[in-house]
Amino acid sequence: MDPVHALRDASPTPFWLDDADHRPPAAPALVGAVDCDLLVVGGGYSGLWTALIAKERDPSADVVLIEAGEVGAAASGRNGGFCESSLTHGLGNGIARWPGEIARLERLGRENLQAIEDTVTKHGIDCDWERTGSLVVATEPYQLAGLTEEAEAAARYGAEVALLDEAAVRAEIDSPAFLGGVWNKDGVAMVNPARLAWGLKRACQELDVRVYEHTPGTGLTEDGARIAVSTPYGRVRARRVALATNAYPSLLRRHRPYTVPVYDYALMTEPLTDDQLASVGWRNRQGFADCANRFHYVRLSADNRILWGGFDAVYRYGGGVRAERDQRHETFATLARHFAETFPQLAGVRFSHAWGGAIDTSTRFCVFFDTSHRGRVAYAAGYTGLGVGATRFGAEVMLDLLAGERTERTSLELVRRKPLPFPPEPVRALGIGITQWSLARADAHEGHRNLWLRALDRVGLGFDS
């Protein structure tokens, strides 16, 4: 039977958000004019961490957070739930771009991950936090040499890693497709992403952050010594503003060319039976990803479902974030077939949910920062799929920048320099299309990068996840 039949009952709703028992009531929309010390625009992880840390730094600060929809309903509530220590979208990308400060970036990333875990504990956030680490697995013989290099590099910068041969990796997660792997044992936690966002919202409210939902920011102007952000039913005047809208269009036009929305898709199975789970093993519950350019990311949920996502990354001409793009049936069919090839022992398992969402992608594949309006507005964006963990670090940087403080974070080249912007259309769509075709071709030809990819590598635009 075609594996696509497993999709016949799949709900077009993100699994994590389909949780009426834990979803908090929506906060009211802002009506009228308010003043505050700090306005945070955006109610995903980036904005939530910024508001929470601002109150922890100064409990007397008056902080307002506005969100166009509901907190956590976009990328923060629909991602895979991999909370990683990397601030640079993987060690390889960090070494290539910031070799002189990668040791500091790796240390700061580990400290950041621990701070997230400490916050989850401190505020009693029920988000199925599991510090399991994650695996990178080889599914083609040519990928094995890269695993050895990756393990050696990770160990050199302080990670606890294990290099696994075919028998060892299949003892962890049993798939006939797996030829070897690297287990980063402490640098990644698995989390229920929507419950983490909802828990951060509650923590913010308990510290007296004023949260307004269904309140998009529609414009940003100077108003004397303050910055004014208009909304459909009112206005906020703030001494400082942190923009945390990520894949959505920024209130600053000059910011917009630095990110594009790329759509990612995922499936979730029904809960596995004890026998089905035993057939796969997975006693240590790590997440995993494969080594391909067009890679899959995979993990277990708390109730032993398998999340199976990735492979396609879809850019639409002109960009923009649209709800109708959250469903892409050809990608779901491809993912279902790949799942069946990877876990043939799970034939007959059905998918309960199938969904997608936009990732804010930058040309360097990780976060960048800047300020405007003489330091009174700061923003961070471009996390490129690794924002579950890195957004907390980004919040710290934005608050440092708004305070005018020189810290270890703000001294980093990663913070001081921005990536190249994306070109305008139609060059943008053409370039992204050629790059995606070239990456797929490299996967089909033992990783060999063509002239286009090598040219991108030379100018610092090469992809290395």
Side-chain angles (χ1 to χ4, degrees):
M1 181 180 292
D2 188 335
V4 174
H5 284 280
L7 290 163
R8 61 187 180 274
D9 298 319
S11 168
T13 305
F15 169 77
W16 312 111
L17 296 171
D18 190 12
D19 187 0
D21 291 339
H22 293 87
R23 180 192 297 275
L30 172 66
V31 176
V34 299
D35 286 18
C36 62
D37 296 316
L38 173 68
L39 169 64
V40 179
V41 181
Y45 292 138
S46 187
L48 292 164
W49 281 117
T50 302
L52 182 65
I53 295 170
K55 290 295 287 187
E56 290 176 339
R57 291 187 180 188
D58 181 4
S60 68
D62 184 11
V63 179
V64 168
L65 182 151
I66 61 172
E67 160 57 35
E70 294 187 11
V71 161
S76 296
R78 60 183 63 215
N79 62 80
F82 286 68
C83 189
E84 303 200 17
S85 64
S86 178
L87 305 176
T88 60
H89 207 281
L91 179 59
N93 193 46
I95 291 172
R97 298 180 189 281
W98 301 284
E101 59 187 34
I102 188 61
R104 274 200 295 165
L105 288 166
E106 288 292 293
R107 172 180 56 78
L108 289 168
R110 289 192 294 272
E111 292 172 357
N112 182 68
L113 180 61
Q114 185 59 50
I116 295 172
E117 183 170 309
D118 293 343
T119 298
V120 167
T121 300
K122 175 182 177 181
H123 291 281
I125 297 175
D126 176 14
C127 61
D128 301 327
W129 181 270
E130 296 181 280
R131 193 77 170 264
T132 59
S134 67
L135 289 163
V136 176
V137 298
T139 57
E140 298 287 346
Y142 78 87
Q143 297 168 349
L144 292 170
L147 290 182
T148 301
E149 295 172 5
E150 181 167 340
E152 291 173 350
R156 186 162 60 248
Y157 291 105
E160 182 185 355
V161 295
L163 182 63
L164 309 177
D165 62 15
E166 181 175 355
V169 74
R170 291 189 62 172
E172 293 297 329
I173 306 172
D174 190 12
S175 168
F178 295 174
L179 305 179
V182 175
W183 182 5
N184 182 331
K185 293 189 173 183
D186 194 48
V188 185
M190 297 295 110
V191 66
N192 180 313
R195 290 192 198 174
L196 175 60
W198 296 335
L200 290 172
K201 173 185 173 180
R202 174 179 57 80
C204 285
Q205 291 173 318
E206 289 175 350
L207 293 180
D208 295 326
V209 174
R210 290 186 281 168
V211 176
Y212 297 97
E213 293 178 283
H214 302 291
T215 303
T218 56
L220 184 151
T221 59
E222 291 193 26
D223 186 357
R226 291 181 176 259
I227 302 296
V229 172
S230 55
T231 72
Y233 305 132
R235 186 179 70 158
V236 185
R237 295 172 68 249
R239 294 176 56 247
R240 300 287 185 268
V241 175
L243 298 179
T245 52
N246 297 312
Y248 290 85
S250 174
L251 291 177
L252 298 177
R253 286 192 172 274
R254 76 179 203 192
H255 177 192
R256 295 179 186 177
Y258 289 92
T259 62
V260 297
V262 174
Y263 273 78
D264 178 53
Y265 297 91
L267 307 176
M268 185 69 93
T269 71
E270 61 190 353
L272 301 188
T273 66
D274 291 344
D275 288 344
Q276 288 169 334
L277 185 59
S279 74
V280 181
W282 223 335
R283 291 176 297 278
N284 290 309
R285 300 182 58 81
Q286 314 97 319
F288 77 83
D290 59 64
C291 293
N293 292 306
R294 303 175 75 190
F295 63 91
H296 304 86
Y297 56 88
V298 190
R299 55 145 319 167
L300 287 172
S301 67
D303 59 348
N304 292 329
R305 301 168 185 261
I306 296 178
L307 180 142
W308 183 265
F311 191 73
D312 282 340
V314 181
Y315 174 74
R316 307 295 182 92
Y317 185 92
V321 180
R322 306 281 187 273
E324 60 268 21
R325 296 175 181 173
D326 294 345
Q327 293 290 301
R328 191 170 192 264
H329 297 101
E330 56 267 48
T331 294
F332 297 146
T334 297
L335 288 173
R337 294 186 176 110
H338 290 175
F339 178 88
E341 293 166 1
T342 303
F343 293 123
Q345 66 270 49
L346 296 180
V349 170
R350 294 181 301 173
F351 296 105
S352 62
H353 295 75
W355 73 95
I359 294 172
D360 60 322
T361 302
S362 71
T363 58
R364 71 184 191 191
F365 309 108
C366 67
V367 63
F368 64 90
F369 305 90
D370 204 357
T371 61
S372 70
H373 295 75
R374 296 178 296 283
R376 291 180 291 171
V377 178
Y379 60 82
Y383 291 95
T384 318
L386 245 63
V388 180
T391 45
R392 187 195 173 280
F393 174 81
E396 294 264 28
V397 171
M398 282 197 288
L399 291 170
D400 290 349
L401 293 172
L402 289 172
E405 296 177 354
R406 182 171 177 82
T407 65
E408 181 180 22
R409 289 180 291 265
T410 62
S411 68
L412 292 166
E413 185 181 352
L414 176 143
V415 172
R416 291 185 290 106
R417 293 191 176 185
K418 290 193 297 185
L420 291 172
F422 286 94
E425 299 288 17
V427 177
R428 175 186 300 177
L430 179 63
I432 292 173
I434 294 172
T435 301
Q436 291 176 326
W437 176 84
S438 298
L439 291 170
R441 189 175 186 276
D443 285 340
H445 292 82
E446 298 190 338
H448 294 300
R449 298 170 78 82
N450 63 15
L451 287 173
W452 175 261
L453 294 179
R454 294 201 299 273
L456 293 181
D457 292 339
R458 284 194 294 273
V459 297
L461 298 177
F463 181 73
D464 187 344
S465 61

